[in-house]
Amino acid sequence: MRTIAIILAGGTGKRMGTSINKQFLLLDNKPIIVHTLQVFDECRQIDSIYLVVNQKDLPVMQEEILETYKFNKVMKLVIGGRLRQDSVKNGLEAIEHPCDNVIIHDGARPFISPSFIEKGIFLMEMFDAIIPAMPVKDTIKVVSKEGFVVKTLERDSLWHVQTPQTFKYDMITKAYREGMTKKLYGYDDATFLENMGKKVKVIEGSPYNIKITTPEDLTIARGILSQLKGAI
């Protein structure tokens, strides 16, 4: 099966409190996006990578990332959109040759492994969509705009959703076309398949698979990296 990865690297430094894209912040002396791309580049089941970036970051991504680190599987740089789902749509539309599977992943989630990516691809023989998630540990309450509790949700059925999310190519492209036509807001990519009435299989993710968004996340990421290096 031919599998393409769409890596979303079009974020900004707004919540990080920096003037540069968080993807370029250093983690163990390498930009965060480099750590992520290396995992997909090393994964045997990934045929090519489409990297979605901001227009303003295009020169930096080309000259300082791709030309420096020489990734073998990055086939194309795609300009992202205003919302995350616009960026995913642009990535899907940029695929020139049909494939079997598409994996969509946040560039700011560097702590995944080739074996985990391959697990999702393997399960595509049985399911239409695979997403990783972790069971919620905390109590979750719905709160009104005025700051009062509306209700408490049943924790046993709640999961924190992660990426990479793996889909059949034909199905996710159709789901995005339909969803965008209906002006659906997708909290994640699987939302678009759910809108079509398709079943989405959840597999257990990893507590290390955090999305680096805030300064606190970066501190946690450095701790995770130190722990992972110590386990080798």
Side-chain angles (χ1 to χ4, degrees), residues 130-166:
I130 302 291
I131 66 171
M134 293 295 294
V136 168
K137 296 179 180 179
D138 300 319
T139 298
I140 305 295
K141 294 182 183 290
V142 178
V143 180
S144 70
K145 293 180 180 179
E146 294 76 27
F148 296 98
V149 172
V150 176
K151 63 178 177 179
T152 301
L153 301 180
E154 179 58 51
R155 186 171 59 190
D156 292 346
S157 62
L158 299 176
W159 292 65
H160 287 291
V161 174
Q162 304 174 342
T163 67
Q165 298 189 356
T166 309

Side-chain angles (χ1 to χ4, degrees), residues 28-115:
D28 196 27
N29 296 317
K30 290 190 295 188
I32 291 170
I33 188 61
V34 170
H35 289 273
T36 304
L37 288 172
Q38 283 179 333
V39 176
F40 281 86
D41 207 57
E42 294 168 4
C43 181
R44 294 171 298 176
Q45 300 300 319
I46 297 296
D47 293 281
S48 58
I49 299 168
Y50 284 59
L51 184 58
V52 184
V53 302
N54 284 330
Q55 177 77 55
K56 65 180 180 63
D57 292 330
L58 194 59
V60 177
M61 194 67 78
Q62 182 66 59
E63 298 165 15
E64 298 185 20
I65 303 297
L66 300 186
E67 292 183 11
T68 299
Y69 293 93
K70 308 296 183 184
F71 297 108
N72 295 316
K73 296 181 181 179
V74 177
M75 295 291 104
K76 182 179 286 191
L77 289 175
V78 180
I79 302 302
R82 186 176 65 88
L83 299 175
R84 183 188 187 278
Q85 64 194 57
D86 298 320
S87 294
V88 174
K89 177 177 175 288
N90 290 354
L92 290 169
E93 290 178 347
I95 297 175
E96 297 169 329
H97 304 289
C99 57
D100 299 288
N101 305 315
V102 172
I103 296 179
I104 302 171
H105 185 64
D106 300 317
R109 291 185 188 267
F111 300 119
I112 53 168
S113 66
S115 61

